[in-house]
Amino acid sequence: MNESRDRTDAAQGIEGVLLANRDRIVRFLEVRGAGNNAEDLFQDLWMRLTDRKPGPIADPLPYIMRAANNLMLDRYRSARQSDLRDKAWGEASATQSPSTETALISREQLALVETAITATGERPARIFRRFRVDGQNQREIASEMGVSLSTVEADLRKVYAALAAIRRQFDAG
């Protein structure tokens, strides 16, 4: 029972110091770079300090100011990491035009893929394009073309086998 009363007294002590020095702490946060977010940071500081099991604190105001400084450092580091991630993502996703050689190789490979798809027959090629390019489901394709679902599946397997063979050629070359 005595321990729970001590925890309550310690918590009220931190809360009392926070309330008594609120303006000073907010100014400190503003000066450290929080600007208009100083009030929000003070609330975060309040939550962090009052949610913990408080122990005896010999000098609570310097303790609170140090916690406020640590909170600012955490925010700064978090913002910096976020900026670095955003910058890296932006650079990585920036459109870079391929070299002439890469573009030529890609065109040749595309022509080989088109030829392989066409070589499977008119119906399998059409089914493949409706399924993979147009995004139509297999049942709708079967209904539209007047064939069974198993025929659609068999034709797709035929095209996939031709594409797998082309892929092996690309990987070997």
Side-chain angles (χ1 to χ4, degrees):
M1 178 151 156
N2 193 19
E3 182 182 322
S4 67
R5 189 170 42 129
D6 290 344
R7 267 190 264 139
T8 305
D9 292 343
Q12 288 174 347
I14 286 289
E15 290 174 5
V17 175
L18 281 166
L19 287 173
N21 294 284
R22 183 182 181 288
D23 292 336
R24 183 176 178 188
I25 297 167
V26 169
R27 270 194 319 276
F28 174 78
L29 292 169
E30 288 172 345
V31 169
R32 295 286 292 154
N36 294 334
N37 296 325
E39 293 287 339
D40 293 337
L41 285 172
F42 180 79
Q43 292 300 318
D44 288 349
L45 180 66
W46 180 283
M47 296 303 294
R48 284 183 182 201
L49 293 178
T50 58
D51 280 351
R52 294 183 180 161
K53 271 187 172 180
I57 301 170
D59 216 355
L61 185 58
Y63 175 80
I64 290 170
M65 297 305 265
R66 181 69 176 170
N69 187 56
N70 289 343
L71 183 61
M72 284 299 302
L73 288 173
D74 289 348
R75 291 285 171 110
Y76 171 75
R77 288 178 184 141
S78 176
R80 185 167 171 255
Q81 284 300 109
S82 177
D83 289 344
L84 289 173
R85 265 192 315 272
D86 290 347
K87 184 178 178 187
W89 177 256
E91 289 173 359
S93 65
T95 307
Q96 296 177 350
S97 57
S99 69
T100 306
E101 181 183 5
T102 303
L104 220 124
I105 291 170
S106 295
R107 277 191 219 111
E108 288 176 2
Q109 288 178 340
L110 179 61
L112 289 172
V113 167
E114 284 290 331
T115 302
I117 292 171
T118 304
T120 61
E122 183 182 332
R123 188 185 67 208
R126 185 169 166 219
I127 288 173
F128 175 78
R129 287 186 179 99
R130 296 291 290 146
F131 181 65
R132 296 300 292 185
V133 177
D134 298 338
Q136 195 170 16
N137 72 42
Q138 293 179 15
R139 286 194 189 282
E140 290 173 354
I141 296 169
S143 175
E144 173 187 306
M145 297 186 77
V147 295
S148 69
L149 182 60
S150 62
T151 300
V152 170
E153 292 170 346
D155 285 350
L156 285 172
R157 280 193 301 274
K158 189 176 184 181
V159 174
Y160 290 145
L163 292 176
I166 290 292
R167 178 65 187 251
R168 284 191 294 276
Q169 285 179 4
F170 293 159
D171 290 344

